[in-house]
Amino acid sequence: QVQLVESGGGLVQAGGSLRLSCRASGSTFSSYDMGWFRQAPGKEREFVAGISRGGLHTFYADSMKGRFTISRDNAKATVALQMNSLKPEDTAVYYCAARLRADLDFSQEYDYNYWGQGTQVTVSS
């Protein structure tokens, strides 16, 4: 069992940056691949970024490439999402998720076993 708690969301102007963090507890963090997803109002949840359990492999949704960076610190049991050049369309609730299954496709929600409660990111124009 893994408990995930996100933090770092907030209100930022377009072009600005935010760094989200997700802290894990309850199990061996390095046993899990980690992902970030987001859900905008009235839309389905979508994949943002993923990172393998050892941190060697990362994967991004096309619209986030070059703007977002995912990283992890297994010693601190945290995963971060650095978001730069934010746009109003990045406004959403951002969730971190953990999965036991190892796969280079990080984008499938159903692969993830545990989810955080989400943190709101609002980008003003």
Side-chain angles (χ1 to χ4, degrees):
Q1 191 81 7
V2 176
Q3 292 78 46
L4 302 171
V5 179
E6 301 96 337
S7 60
L11 174 64
V12 64
Q13 288 188 331
S17 299
L18 277 176
R19 184 177 178 84
L20 305 183
S21 183
C22 174
R23 179 174 53 84
S25 61
S27 188
T28 305
F29 182 67
S30 59
S31 297
Y32 297 86
D33 289 347
M34 298 298 296
W36 284 97
F37 291 76
R38 70 185 186 185
Q39 187 168 21
K43 295 187 177 181
E44 293 187 352
R45 190 156 55 187
E46 64 173 343
F47 171 74
V48 174
I51 188 166
S52 60
R53 56 206 63 196
L56 291 179
H57 302 286
T58 58
F59 187 72
Y60 298 91
D62 287 343
S63 61
M64 288 70 164
K65 287 180 181 177
R67 298 191 300 126
F68 292 7
T69 302
I70 188 171
S71 61
R72 67 188 294 161
D73 185 334
N74 283 349
K76 296 181 178 179
T78 58
V79 60
L81 184 69
Q82 177 67 42
M83 304 186 295
N84 299 327
S85 302
L86 283 163
K87 307 173 183 179
E89 50 264 43
D90 294 317
T91 295
V93 177
Y94 284 71
Y95 300 89
C96 71
R99 70 177 192 189
L100 282 167
R101 179 172 177 265
D103 193 292
L104 288 180
D105 181 359
F106 292 90
S107 66
Q108 303 303 317
E109 279 191 56
Y110 54 74
D111 277 341
Y112 290 82
N113 308 97
Y114 304 102
W115 294 81
Q117 83 290 348
T119 186
Q120 176 70 48
V121 171
T122 303
V123 184
S124 62
S125 57

